[in-house]
Amino acid sequence: MSKGSRSAARGAPVVPDANGLPTREQILTFIAEHPGQAGKREIARSFGVSGGARIALKRMLKELGEEGLVNKERKRLTPVGTLPTVSVLLIVDRDADGDFVAQPVSWNDDRGGVPRVLLVPGRGRPLVPAPGIGDRVLARVEPDAAAESGFPYTARVIKVLEKRAPSILGVVRSTIDGERRIEPVDRKQSEYSLAAEDLNGAKDGDLVAIEVKRMTRYGLSAARVIEVIGAMHSEKAVSLIAIHAHNIPHIFPPPVLEAAERAQPAPISGVREDWRPMPLVTIDPADAKDHDDAVHAEPDSDPENPGGFIVTVAIADVAWYVRPGSPLDREALKRGNSVYFPDRVVPMLPERISNDLCSLREGEDRPAIAVRMQFTAEGKKKFHWFHRIMMRSAAKLSYQQAQAAIDGRPDEKTSPLLDPVLKPLWAAYAVMKRGRDQREPLDLDLPERKVIVGADGAIERIVVPERLDAHRLIEEYMIQANVAAAETLERKKSPLVYRVHDAPSLAKLESLREFLASIEMNLPRSGNLRPGHFNTILDKVKDTEHQALVNEVVLRSQSQAVYSPENIGHFGLNLRRYAHFTSPIRRYADLIVHRALVRSLELGEGGLPDGAETDLEAIAQEISGAERRAMAAERETIDRLVAHWLADRIGATFSGRIAGVTRSGLFVKLDETGADGFVPIGSIGADFFDYDEARHAVIGSRTGEMHQLGDRVEVKLVEVAPIAGALRFQLVSDGRHVPKGERRVIERGFRNSIGRPGGKPRPGGSAGAKPGGKPRPGAKRR
């Protein structure tokens, strides 16, 4: 480096050459040593350039830019091959310590690889929303000259930007004329034309990701295929649409699979206790592949607790195999949870872990973390103790199998277990139920349908599984184990991720009150509303014409449960503290709780690492988002499967119930399949229909014909879009009549004037419309 450039680097003035200018080498050195800080003004000041020489300096800088030697951003210069001080980064991975790794969205040097940037925690309050993999962020970047981080740059996030628009998904279709088009997965998107040179190997019927090649004002816009995802010749591929539409990680990277294959069975050593003689049993769905919880109960021998029980819940010890910062851990966090489709499961952990080493298989030694809980005869939990154990499941039972045995129909497997194992389980549940009834959690009656698919992926039937006491027993055992975990970690002052459920918002409560008033019911306005207030309303409408309607409206008034390191309680379960502990094979939140228990109770290896509490806010937001993503993907896949199933029944008539009411029309859920379809308001009848928001209804202004949420209706199927999973119906039954004096027009300005004779369906009244835009909170996702 020359004397002048060394002085410039120190900020001292430099005497310019005879022309009053520094050399090109001096300028490049100065910019390299002041990346993102050097502009024309700073260079001129440092090198003492003034007067007419400033014009020549400007010309030199322009030439350096044209030659590709420097980049200019916001009047600041950086050398090619370096990142600006403030850059837009894409988060692509996590490192061994669980920190995010990013790379620049745009990179100006093709001579080497794109640099990887380590995101370090920012100062002050955590970012909301917290960043996650796939997010773009605005970050302040600093070169790591000492390479202490192992990365060429570190960065602190300034702001989380919106995610980049995903590529468009569609299916390649050939027309009669031999042209190829893209049928988009999203019904709201238009079709695209596809030239032969833009197929990228795609064939007719393939699901592909495309990018728009050319937009046109008239006719079809042109697109090119950027990825062939798979063939859509059978319903078995339908779940691929949701997997790719929601960017769900579904292929395990080789390092993750290798780590899973290297894992060895956990030994009985150190603090692990031998509980193999205890007859713990698993009770799961008949088709379950992994078993992460086992249960046992016995009368309490303590004379001071007459009529009480000792209940044991043992949960697979996933924390032993999935250590913080390992490839298995990073992949599990990226997935957040397992995703369940009718034809496949996208697991959070590889099968070697989830279906083998951690699954509590019958008759095989498996490590677990167990909690023993002491209940009084009134169902109050007095004490609980956690243990790290080795267990051996005495039996793998299905819900139906266990229930049949209790109901007097034991089989060869359950007969020897009936008296020593099953009857004590049910007796303990009867005690625990007393405590549950006193607690009064929210008790909604919303039957869930299950889609049964055959080997080809097509629907065989759709059933509503009977809700058995066996289901309620396992649910209550798991809830109490989750409560015990939260209580223990609070007592130990350990960081953890809670499962929280906020009370309904004031706006939703007011809307609910208005609706209840329309059917001559009321909800208290003052005092602290608890789930019991809602249960009183639900009890009043049980076995009446309003039962389904009121259950649906009460559900819609509730908040959504999420994960958070800050505890606000669980409103729906009416619990002060609650944390997910019982499903670490399929939920990352539970794995965090296991690690916290291992560390705080000194149960050996695999505990929560030091400093983990600083990451919990971001992790909680990330896994809450993964849960919402999974719910949407599961729901959309069922919609598409049902649409495929109904595609050859256009013109058929079905019975159903109105599941949603909007200004643009009605959403109807069919009794037979549970499928949702849309009735455009323009097709309802020869009248003007007003939207009554309080009643969740549309009412004909002339005839008084009313169609309300929860009403039973007959509809005709008129259009099916299988790829979009959308159905369009036409009402064939009449609504109820509302006398003129009882009609209310909430927002006259939103009158749907197209509902007159001969009117055309308004835009949006197509088969692609979706009810409400929000998924129903699942009963299984408490």
Side-chain angles (χ1 to χ4, degrees):
M1 185 184 294
S2 66
K3 178 181 177 180
S5 61
R6 283 196 300 270
S7 300
R10 293 193 299 268
V14 175
V15 178
D17 62 13
N19 298 319
L21 293 171
T23 66
R24 288 161 55 98
E25 290 73 19
Q26 287 175 326
I27 293 174
L28 290 174
T29 300
F30 183 84
I31 293 172
E33 293 176 349
H34 301 80
Q37 302 172 17
K40 184 184 72 173
R41 181 179 301 175
E42 287 73 22
I43 294 173
R45 183 183 300 119
S46 182
F47 288 97
V49 179
S50 61
R54 294 173 70 93
I55 298 175
L57 175 63
K58 181 178 180 180
R59 187 182 305 113
M60 284 182 66
L61 296 176
K62 182 178 180 182
E63 291 172 355
L64 290 173
E66 291 173 347
E67 294 173 23
L69 296 175
V70 296
N71 287 317
K72 186 176 182 181
E73 184 176 339
R74 295 185 179 89
K75 297 184 179 182
R76 292 293 183 266
L77 301 167
T78 58
V80 169
T82 60
L83 280 174
T85 304
V86 177
S87 300
V88 177
L89 307 177
L90 175 66
I91 301 177
V92 295
D93 201 357
R94 287 182 181 268
D95 71 350
D97 296 322
D99 293 321
F100 286 123
V101 177
Q103 62 188 36
V105 170
S106 59
W107 180 236
N108 54 29
D109 186 6
D110 57 4
R111 294 171 296 179
V114 179
R116 288 166 67 83
V117 183
L118 179 68
L119 297 187
V120 295
R123 302 181 180 92
R125 297 181 61 185
L127 291 169
V128 178
I133 292 176
D135 284 354
R136 290 190 305 160
V137 297
L138 185 68
R140 190 170 302 281
V141 180
E142 297 179 0
D144 189 1
E148 293 180 357
S149 68
F151 293 82
Y153 297 92
T154 61
R156 297 181 189 275
V157 177
I158 301 171
K159 181 181 180 181
V160 180
L161 306 175
E162 292 183 359
K163 291 185 177 183
R164 292 186 295 177
S167 57
I168 298 169
L169 292 179
V171 177
V172 179
R173 301 294 191 202
S174 295
T175 66
I176 299 176
D177 301 330
E179 297 179 356
R180 291 183 178 86
R181 295 184 178 181
I182 294 295
E183 178 188 353
V185 165
D186 187 344
R187 184 70 171 177
K188 298 174 185 176
Q189 294 172 338
S190 303
E191 288 189 351
Y192 295 87
S193 64
L194 197 61
E197 62 269 20
D198 295 322
L199 280 169
N200 194 18
K203 303 180 182 63
D204 189 46
D206 280 354
L207 176 67
V208 297
I210 63 168
E211 63 180 6
V212 179
K213 180 180 177 182
R214 183 178 64 258
M215 297 294 293
T216 58
R217 189 169 183 179
Y218 304 103
L220 297 180
S221 299
R224 64 167 62 90
V225 174
I226 57 176
E227 181 185 3
V228 179
I229 296 169
M232 291 294 298
H233 296 302
S234 76
E235 285 89 337
K236 198 166 187 177
V238 166
S239 53
L240 282 175
I241 297 175
I243 288 171
H244 285 267
H246 292 278
N247 196 28
I248 295 173
H250 65 292
I251 298 174
F252 286 107
V256 176
L257 293 175
E258 291 167 6
E261 290 303 318
R262 287 196 303 268
Q264 297 297 315
I268 301 180
S269 60
V271 297
R272 197 178 297 281
E273 304 170 42
D274 188 354
W275 283 22
R276 288 176 292 182
M278 178 181 288
L280 289 151
V281 296
T282 62
I283 304 178
D284 291 298
D287 57 355
K289 298 292 190 299
D290 52 69
H291 309 277
D292 49 14
D293 58 86
V295 292
H296 178 266
E298 60 187 352
D300 191 357
S301 59
D302 185 350
E304 296 184 5
N305 187 30
F309 277 83
I310 300 295
V311 171
T312 301
V313 175
I315 305 298
D317 190 358
V318 179
W320 176 264
Y321 295 103
V322 184
R323 301 297 177 89
S326 67
L328 284 168
D329 179 51
R330 294 197 300 273
E331 185 68 17
L333 176 55
K334 184 189 298 184
R335 296 179 177 226
N337 47 246
S338 298
V339 187
Y340 295 86
F341 299 106
D343 66 319
R344 72 182 74 199
V345 176
V346 179
M348 186 180 78
L349 297 167
E351 285 194 10
R352 167 68 172 160
I353 302 294
S354 60
N355 290 0
D356 183 4
L357 293 176
C358 285
S359 186
L360 306 181
R361 292 179 173 180
E362 180 180 331
E364 298 185 23
D365 292 356
R366 288 293 182 268
I369 294 180
V371 56
R372 286 170 63 82
M373 298 172 283
Q374 183 186 40
F375 288 91
T376 67
E378 291 74 36
K380 180 181 179 181
K381 180 165 66 68
K382 294 182 66 177
F383 299 104
H384 63 263
W385 311 265
F386 280 92
H387 307 259
R388 206 170 197 180
I389 67 168
M390 184 66 71
M391 60 161 286
R392 182 181 295 159
S393 172
K396 180 185 77 170
L397 305 177
S398 69
Y399 289 115
Q400 294 76 14
Q401 194 177 17
Q403 188 69 54
I406 288 295
D407 292 342
R409 303 187 309 277
D411 57 21
E412 291 183 1
K413 190 170 191 176
T414 56
S415 184
L417 298 171
L418 184 57
D419 288 329
V421 176
L422 296 179
K423 285 185 178 180
L425 284 173
W426 257 257
Y429 169 60
V431 163
M432 297 167 72
K433 188 174 182 299
R434 292 172 197 155
R436 183 186 185 279
D437 292 342
Q438 292 174 12
R439 193 176 80 238
E440 286 194 284
L442 187 61
D443 190 17
L444 289 166
D445 181 18
L446 294 161
E448 299 222 359
R449 288 170 172 81
K450 183 175 182 179
V451 175
I452 309 298
V453 299
D456 60 352
I459 291 179
E460 287 187 350
R461 64 189 187 280
I462 298 174
V463 298
V464 179
E466 183 183 1
R467 179 79 167 154
L468 304 171
D469 279 343
H471 293 101
R472 299 183 181 94
L473 179 151
I474 293 298
E475 182 179 83
E476 189 61 24
Y477 276 47
M478 298 304 116
I479 287 172
Q480 293 299 331
N482 289 336
V483 171
E487 290 176 345
T488 294
L489 292 175
E490 272 198 3
R491 189 170 64 249
K492 292 291 185 178
K493 295 181 169 46
S494 169
L496 75 150
V497 171
Y498 293 92
R499 179 66 165 178
V500 298
H501 181 221
D502 204 355
S505 67
L506 294 177
K508 286 185 176 181
L509 286 176
E510 189 58 36
S511 177
L512 177 61
R513 285 191 186 97
E514 288 188 5
F515 162 72
L516 292 173
S518 73
I519 58 173
E520 299 181 349
M521 299 185 71
N522 63 76
L523 184 70
R525 285 185 176 275
S526 59
N528 185 22
L529 277 179
R530 305 306 304 161
H533 293 99
F534 294 98
N535 291 339
T536 299
I537 293 168
L538 297 173
D539 287 340
K540 288 181 180 179
V541 298
K542 193 171 184 179
D543 299 325
T544 71
E545 62 175 333
H546 296 304
Q547 179 175 348
L549 170 62
V550 174
N551 272 269
E552 188 70 34
V553 177
V554 169
L555 171 69
R556 295 183 184 199
S557 72
Q558 303 302 306
S559 303
Q560 185 171 9
V562 296
Y563 295 106
S564 171
E566 300 297 328
N567 184 30
I568 61 170
H570 197 295
F571 178 83
L573 292 175
N574 201 10
L575 292 168
R576 289 186 177 181
R577 54 193 63 82
Y578 190 65
H580 274 167
F581 157 73
T582 54
S583 294
I585 289 177
R586 62 184 180 90
R587 292 187 308 223
Y588 193 82
D590 304 56
L591 179 55
I592 293 175
V593 170
H594 275 239
R595 289 171 175 166
L597 288 168
V598 168
R599 173 173 171 164
S600 61
L601 299 177
E602 299 180 355
L603 295 178
E605 302 176 32
L608 207 62
D610 292 337
E613 58 274 10
T614 61
D615 299 325
L616 291 187
E617 176 68 35
I619 290 173
Q621 292 200 34
E622 192 171 342
I623 58 181
S624 294
E627 180 186 46
R628 292 191 294 271
R629 175 182 69 186
M631 291 170 65
E634 292 166 4
R635 186 187 67 251
E636 290 172 10
T637 297
I638 290 176
D639 288 345
R640 292 186 177 102
L641 283 170
V642 173
H644 274 275
W645 198 38
L646 296 176
D648 59 354
R649 300 182 67 182
I650 290 178
T653 301
F654 302 90
S655 297
R657 192 180 292 275
I658 296 177
V661 181
T662 69
R663 297 183 181 92
S664 59
L666 310 174
F667 296 96
V668 174
K669 183 181 289 292
L670 302 185
D671 295 336
E672 180 184 346
T673 62
D676 287 303
F678 186 64
V679 179
I681 200 162
S683 69
I684 292 179
D687 201 350
F688 297 89
F689 281 85
D690 295 303
Y691 175 54
D692 189 327
E693 187 174 9
R695 291 187 182 183
H696 297 270
V698 292
I699 304 173
S701 60
R702 180 173 55 82
T703 62
E705 180 182 354
M706 180 173 75
H707 298 280
Q708 187 178 32
L709 182 72
D711 283 355
R712 298 209 54 81
V713 292
E714 296 289 322
V715 294
K716 182 170 72 173
L717 180 61
V718 295
E719 183 183 353
V720 178
I723 295 300
L727 310 171
R728 183 162 63 87
F729 298 133
Q730 181 179 347
L731 275 180
V732 296
S733 58
D734 296 329
R736 290 176 287 149
H737 178 72
V738 179
K740 193 168 186 177
E742 296 180 15
R743 299 176 200 169
R744 299 175 18 170
V745 180
I746 303 301
E747 297 181 69
R748 181 69 67 177
F750 285 96
R751 169 174 288 182
N752 291 296
S753 59
I754 61 166
R756 58 184 182 274
K760 294 182 180 180
R762 63 188 291 169
S766 70
K770 293 288 181 187
K774 291 185 179 180
R776 178 175 76 78
K780 295 181 181 177
R781 300 182 190 272
R782 289 178 168 165

